[in-house]
Amino acid sequence: MEKNRTLANIRKDIENHVGEKVTLKANGGRKKILVNDGVIESVHPSIFVVRLESDTQRTVTYSYSDVLTKTVLLYYAV
């Protein structure tokens, strides 16, 4: 059973993993699921930034509510 998650808990969890590798599964709309590997670069009051490890080295931003509503799933590297 999943514990009760709040935006504050999600933010604290992501703050604890800044600089670590993650795998992102994001809902791209129209039945598209985007899967990318990257590194959590920074954490801000309402968003967090992930630098993707693709050939273009671009960054993407997501809000903590995206994680709460499971629009974005984060899997931390072990």
Side-chain angles (χ1 to χ4, degrees), residues 14 17-20 22 24 38-44 46-52 58-64:
I14 293 173
H17 293 283
V18 170
E20 295 182 13
V22 294
L24 286 167
V39 175
I40 299 175
E41 194 170 82
S42 60
V43 175
H44 300 282
S46 58
I47 61 169
F48 61 98
V49 180
V50 178
R51 179 169 298 280
L52 300 180
R58 68 175 203 178
T59 59
V60 292
T61 59
Y62 295 105
S63 68
Y64 303 112

Side-chain angles (χ1 to χ4, degrees), residues 2-78:
E2 187 175 326
K3 63 182 178 180
N4 189 9
R5 305 263 324 214
T6 63
L7 291 176
N9 290 344
I10 292 169
R11 180 175 180 209
K12 186 181 289 187
D13 187 38
I14 293 173
E15 278 180 346
N16 291 336
H17 293 283
V18 170
E20 295 182 13
K21 290 189 175 198
V22 294
T23 300
L24 286 167
K25 272 189 168 181
N27 182 355
R30 301 289 245 157
K31 299 182 182 180
K32 294 180 194 168
I33 302 295
L34 306 172
V35 179
N36 289 309
D37 291 325
V39 175
I40 299 175
E41 194 170 82
S42 60
V43 175
H44 300 282
S46 58
I47 61 169
F48 61 98
V49 180
V50 178
R51 179 169 298 280
L52 300 180
E53 292 182 345
S54 62
D55 55 342
T56 59
Q57 290 291 318
R58 68 175 203 178
T59 59
V60 292
T61 59
Y62 295 105
S63 68
Y64 303 112
S65 61
D66 290 336
V67 178
L68 181 67
T69 60
K70 298 182 181 175
T71 303
V72 174
L73 299 175
L74 290 173
Y75 299 101
Y76 301 112
V78 179

